[in-house]
Amino acid sequence: MQSSISLENVQNSLRMYKKPRIGLYSTGLAAYWEQFPILHDRLVNYGNFIAEKMGKWGEIHNFGMVDTAEKGKEAGA
């Protein structure tokens, strides 16, 4: 029994595929930044690195560092 799936059908459906939208944010606690001076920048840079890599698979919306309740509400809005 032959399958009705052809390479052309697969390629056409891949062309129609829309990249997913992916929300991303880095987390930390604002109280730590004074104690650990380089931690904030490291986490932000790591989040940007992840966003760049994930950009191959989807449309990335990077909300940056969420380190307070207020920033969490902003990122979730």
Side-chain angles (χ1 to χ4, degrees), residues 21 23-24 30 42 47 57 63 67-68 74:
R21 290 178 287 164
L24 177 69
R42 276 183 88 173
W57 300 298
F63 296 97
D67 57 2
T68 64
E74 288 174 22

Side-chain angles (χ1 to χ4, degrees), residues 3-34:
S3 173
S4 63
I5 298 174
S6 70
L7 180 58
E8 184 178 343
N9 288 343
V10 171
Q11 289 173 335
N12 285 337
S13 57
L14 288 176
R15 283 187 206 113
M16 295 182 338
Y17 173 72
K18 231 178 144 175
K19 285 186 171 185
R21 290 178 287 164
I22 302 168
L24 177 69
Y25 58 90
S26 301
T27 61
L29 183 60
Y32 287 147
W33 306 148
E34 193 173 314

Side-chain angles (χ1 to χ4, degrees), residues 16-69:
M16 295 182 338
Y17 173 72
K18 231 178 144 175
K19 285 186 171 185
R21 290 178 287 164
I22 302 168
L24 177 69
Y25 58 90
S26 301
T27 61
L29 183 60
Y32 287 147
W33 306 148
E34 193 173 314
Q35 280 182 291
F36 306 101
I38 64 169
L39 182 59
H40 180 274
D41 291 341
R42 276 183 88 173
L43 293 174
V44 169
N45 289 335
Y46 186 58
N48 291 335
F49 170 80
I50 291 172
E52 183 181 329
K53 295 294 181 185
M54 290 178 65
K56 296 175 187 173
W57 300 298
E59 178 185 323
I60 307 300
H61 298 270
N62 189 350
F63 296 97
M65 176 58 67
V66 173
D67 57 2
T68 64

